[in-house]
Amino acid sequence: MLLLSGGMARAATIAITVSDLAFEPAVAEATVGDTIEWRNVDFVGHTATDRSGQWDVALPAGKTASIGMTTPGVMSYFCRFHPQMTGIIRVKPKL
Ligand SMILES: [Cu+2]
């Protein structure tokens, strides 16, 4: 029996690759409940640091780190070591 209705979406993991001093994709879309996962494939460490100070994720070289998206909105973040590295996460409310 199929119980999924059209409006139901499972929580997803959105992958952002950190490579060559850049977040890819630079603009990511998520829904509340989703997880954002950064994969640093560079040989240097980075951070994903929310400009409003809500979160600060360390991304050591070659490592993966993730956080859950709990509130809707548009979040702008950067790397504390390389401030030219910037990204945006658009979080939609859960329907
Ligand atoms: Cu960096």
Side-chain angles (χ1 to χ4, degrees), residues 33-78:
D34 288 351
T35 297
I36 301 286
E37 182 181 272
W38 288 273
R39 298 170 183 164
N40 182 6
V41 299
D42 272 345
F43 294 103
V44 296
H46 299 293
T47 71
T49 304
D50 178 33
R51 286 196 194 282
S52 69
Q54 293 184 73
W55 39 268
D56 183 15
V57 180
L59 305 170
K63 300 289 189 194
T64 294
S66 60
I67 57 169
M69 294 290 113
T70 56
T71 50
V74 178
M75 290 176 290
S76 175
Y77 68 97
F78 66 104

Side-chain angles (χ1 to χ4, degrees), residues 18 21 23 42 44-47 79-83 85:
V18 190
L21 301 182
F23 297 108
D42 272 345
V44 296
H46 299 293
T47 71
C79 171
R80 281 190 281 110
F81 306 141
H82 314 99
M85 293 174 63

